């Protein structure tokens, strides 16, 4: 037990909790090539699918996935200096394996009803996005492409398209060859490479999107401000919202004058601090527990609250109180903590982090093996039985009060424990199913709510 706790603490230290949302890539030295704008085209969905998440392969909890070559399309949204853009809404829409859009005017009409055709993703502070989809099919007049629309905070919507390197039709595509600048044109044609070891032939395409703006620094003011859209997010998925008794990250300006996490001395008699360095947060007019403060980011544990829907959130420090922002508050808002490239935060029984080798600089990461037990971490999975009081140090692990379904790919996995093991920290001791080598989507569902963003896990049979 002591071992497990130590492992977990080390794990959280690795993640940084304060710097949970770090990026491992270095700063850019050279001038970046701006991603060229391209036409929206006629097929932006005129009716949206029932599911709008970043997993286009599966609609809601359907058992039958879309057909085609599975592809993980990911990258970062950057400003012209190469700084990641947080809170950017990335939308994609594309044809299915047959070349059909979900649009009513799609030139090809034998549409794959299991393919989502459209998805969206809100970037976190690393600027990263991820979609699981299929390689787009071809329709008359165009080469293979995926449409992208990126809406960064305070910026107009930016529209472009992504292509497949080596596709012979690229040479004749009018939209692609309409990009006059060679470097810009090359920047939207990326290799779609096989995921190492994937026995089902999954592809991965990496597409960084460089937007042509530089964020304007806010005018000096000592009063704290919260980003009005997407400024208060689930600490795992970084999707807007806050869940009862779970970790929440807040983004803004002048939030604190110093940067630090809580220390043992901040926790008196097992009670978590409602203020750190003079910074406090109220969610639905109840105090949150402040774990980390910095000028632009705070991490807090939301108070226990049965509220459901829009609630006000404010930050108060020596400079005053922020204007309230409206945040969607729920008892259940399940999501996993994520490592770079949207890999699920998970450890092996010995505490080593689960992931493809080289995922995190300076840290040994190993894929999961079928049959082994790994521990996944998340937040927002609701109450436990017995109850875990919010605002107090967790002394004993407590199982979830509601049934949970955990899936890796479409397999409902066996688990030995699902519950709270630390402050706002939910852990799942799951047995890795026997799936083909490669990346697989990890999802969970509790009280009818599915994890809002897919995470992935790398599985390998090799020792
Ligand atoms: Fe198109």
């Amino acid at each position: 037990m002591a071992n497990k706790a130590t492992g977990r603490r080390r794990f959280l230290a690795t993640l940084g909790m304060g710097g949970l949302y770090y990026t491992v890539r270095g700063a850019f030295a050279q001038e970046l090539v701006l991603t060229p704008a391209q036409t929206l085209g006629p097929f932006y969905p005129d009716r949206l699918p029932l599911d709008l998440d970043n997993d286009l392969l599966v609609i809601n909890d359907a058992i039958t996935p879309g057909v085609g070559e599975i592809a993980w399309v990911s990258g970062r949204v950057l400003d012209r200096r190469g700084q990641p853009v947080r809170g950017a809404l990335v939308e994609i829409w594309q044809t299915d394996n047959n070349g059909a859009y979900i649009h009513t005017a799609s030139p090809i009409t034998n549409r794959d009803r299991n393919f989502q055709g459209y998805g969206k993703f809100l970037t976190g502070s690393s600027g990263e996005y991820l979609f699981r989809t299929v390689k787009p099919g071809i329709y008359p007049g165009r080469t293979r492409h995926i449409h992208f629309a990126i809406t960064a905070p305070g910026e107009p919507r930016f529209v472009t398209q992504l292509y497949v390197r080596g596709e012979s039709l690229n040479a004749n595509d009018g939209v692609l060859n309409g990009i006059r600048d060679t470097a810009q044109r090359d920047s939207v044609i990326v290799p779609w490479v096989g995921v190492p070891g994937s026995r089902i032939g999954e592809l991965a395409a990496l597409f960084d999107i460089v937007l042509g703006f530089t964020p304007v620094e806010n005018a000096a003011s000592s009063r704290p401000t919260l980003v009005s859209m997407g400024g208060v997010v689930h600490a795992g998925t970084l999707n807007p919202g806050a869940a009862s008794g779970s970790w929440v990250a807040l983004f803004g300006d002048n939030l604190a004058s110093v940067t630090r996490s809580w220390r043992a001395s901040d926790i008196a008699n097992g009670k978590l601090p409602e203020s750190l360095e003079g910074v406090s947060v109220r969610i639905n007019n109840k105090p949150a527990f402040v774990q980390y403060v910095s000028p632009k980011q705070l991490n807090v544990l939301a108070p226990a609250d049965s509220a459901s829907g829009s609630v006000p959130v404010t930050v108060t420090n020596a400079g005053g109180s922020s204007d309230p922002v409206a945040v969607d508050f729920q008892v259940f808002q399940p999501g996993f903590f994520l490592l770079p490239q949207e890999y699920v935060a998970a450890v092996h029984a010995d505490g080593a982090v689960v992931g493809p080798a080289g995922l995190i600089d300076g840290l040994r990461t190993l894929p999961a093996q079928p049959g082994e037990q790994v521990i996944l971490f998340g937040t927002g999975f609701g109450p436990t039985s017995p109850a875990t009081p919010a605002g107090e140090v967790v002394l004993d692990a407590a199982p979830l009060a509601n049934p949970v379904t955990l899936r890796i790919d479409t397999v409902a996995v066996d688990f030995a424990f699902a519950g709270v093991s630390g402050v706002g920290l939910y852990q799942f001791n799951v047995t890795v199913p026997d799936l083909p080598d490669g990346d697989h989507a990890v999802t969970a569902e509790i009280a009818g709510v599915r994890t809002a963003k897919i995470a992935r896990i790398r599985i390998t049979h090799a020792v």
Side-chain angles (χ1 to χ4, degrees):
M1 230 15 223
N3 230 349
K4 193 172 82 181
T6 310
R8 192 179 68 240
R9 205 163 296 130
R10 186 176 64 233
F11 176 71
L12 284 177
T14 304
L15 286 175
M17 255 337 261
L20 192 59
Y21 324 97
Y22 63 100
T23 178
V24 291
R25 289 144 165 154
F28 282 76
Q30 82 275 31
E31 186 72 9
L32 294 174
V33 174
L34 298 185
T35 302
Q38 298 172 75
T39 176
L40 181 75
F43 302 122
Y44 182 84
D46 56 351
R47 54 197 164 133
L48 289 172
L50 289 173
D51 188 10
L52 305 173
D53 73 355
N54 62 331
D55 185 5
L56 279 67
L57 206 59
V58 177
I59 297 177
N60 289 325
D61 291 317
I63 299 300
T64 313
V67 171
E69 279 184 272
I70 298 171
W72 299 83
V73 177
S74 67
R76 288 172 302 162
V77 179
L78 305 170
D79 69 20
R80 65 185 314 140
R81 292 179 308 190
Q83 296 301 310
V85 178
R86 203 190 69 75
L89 176 68
V90 181
E91 298 172 89
I92 68 168
W93 64 103
Q94 64 165 91
T95 57
D96 61 19
N97 190 51
N98 303 325
Y101 281 105
I102 55 176
H103 198 281
T104 46
S106 176
I108 289 177
T109 53
N110 60 328
R111 188 161 75 79
D112 176 356
R113 300 279 150 183
N114 296 311
F115 181 65
Q116 196 171 299
Y118 168 93
K120 56 185 186 175
F121 193 101
L122 191 71
T123 61
S125 64
S126 68
E128 289 173 310
Y129 70 86
L130 169 74
F131 293 97
R132 185 170 71 150
T133 185
V134 300
K135 194 171 178 179
I138 288 172
Y139 63 93
R142 291 298 313 275
T143 187
R144 269 181 230 282
H145 61 282
I146 294 182
H147 294 266
F148 276 74
I150 298 94
T151 311
E155 296 292 323
R157 183 164 77 162
F158 175 83
V159 177
T160 191
Q161 303 185 22
L162 172 68
Y163 301 87
V164 180
R165 186 180 291 176
E167 185 70 45
S168 58
L169 288 169
N170 287 353
N172 305 317
D173 191 89
V175 177
L176 175 57
N177 293 291
I179 305 167
R180 302 282 293 275
D181 183 277
T182 315
Q184 284 195 310
R185 188 164 67 238
D186 288 348
S187 75
V188 295
I189 309 171
V190 307
W192 292 50
V193 296
V195 172
S198 172
R199 288 192 302 208
I200 53 173
E202 289 160 292
L203 301 170
L206 204 58
F207 178 43
D208 286 346
I209 297 155
V210 184
L211 302 175
F213 70 90
T214 305
V216 181
E217 297 298 332
N218 279 12
S221 153
S222 56
R223 199 164 79 96
T225 55
L226 283 168
V227 174
S228 60
M229 216 182 82
V232 180
V233 300
H234 184 284
T237 62
L238 303 181
N239 278 343
S244 176
S246 285
W247 287 109
V248 177
L250 299 90
F251 296 92
D253 286 296
N254 301 316
L255 299 179
S257 53
V258 295
T259 298
R260 80 165 176 97
S261 300
W262 66 27
R263 296 188 277 259
S265 58
D266 297 311
I267 299 167
N269 302 320
K271 303 282 187 205
L272 305 174
E274 294 180 3
S275 157
L276 197 64
E277 298 288 338
V279 181
S280 61
V281 173
R282 293 181 83 81
I283 299 178
N284 200 22
N285 300 313
K286 295 188 174 77
F289 307 96
V290 186
Q291 184 267 338
Y292 170 82
V293 297
S294 72
K296 288 182 175 291
Q297 181 180 347
L298 308 175
N299 291 343
V300 304
L301 185 76
D305 194 332
S306 58
S308 173
S310 182
V311 304
V313 175
T314 54
V315 176
T316 300
N317 62 25
S321 288
S322 70
D323 289 334
V325 297
V327 174
D328 182 41
F329 189 92
Q330 299 295 340
V331 173
F332 297 97
Q333 195 192 53
F336 294 107
F337 287 109
L338 298 172
L339 301 173
Q341 298 171 36
E342 314 298 334
Y343 283 100
V344 66
V347 294
H348 298 275
D350 67 358
V353 173
V354 175
L359 180 63
I360 300 170
D361 286 344
L363 194 72
R364 188 157 164 265
T365 47
L366 297 167
Q369 285 193 4
E372 79 159 312
Q373 194 179 83
V374 296
I375 303 174
L376 314 178
F377 296 97
T379 195
F381 288 78
T384 59
S385 178
T388 309
E392 292 179 19
V393 169
V394 172
L395 298 174
D396 293 303
L400 293 174
N402 295 69
V404 64
T405 305
L406 298 157
R407 286 196 181 86
I408 299 183
D409 214 315
T410 54
V411 180
V413 298
D414 294 325
F415 52 89
F417 176 77
V420 164
S421 63
V423 172
L425 184 71
Y426 293 74
Q427 83 168 55
F428 305 92
N429 300 26
V430 307
T431 302
V432 178
D434 192 2
L435 286 166
D437 287 2
D439 286 343
H440 296 279
V442 182
T443 55
E445 189 179 339
I446 188 161
V449 186
R450 194 180 124 175
T451 43
K453 187 184 273 187
I454 54 161
R456 54 176 161 175
I457 190 167
R458 173 69 56 88
I459 294 179
T460 180
H461 285 70
V463 184

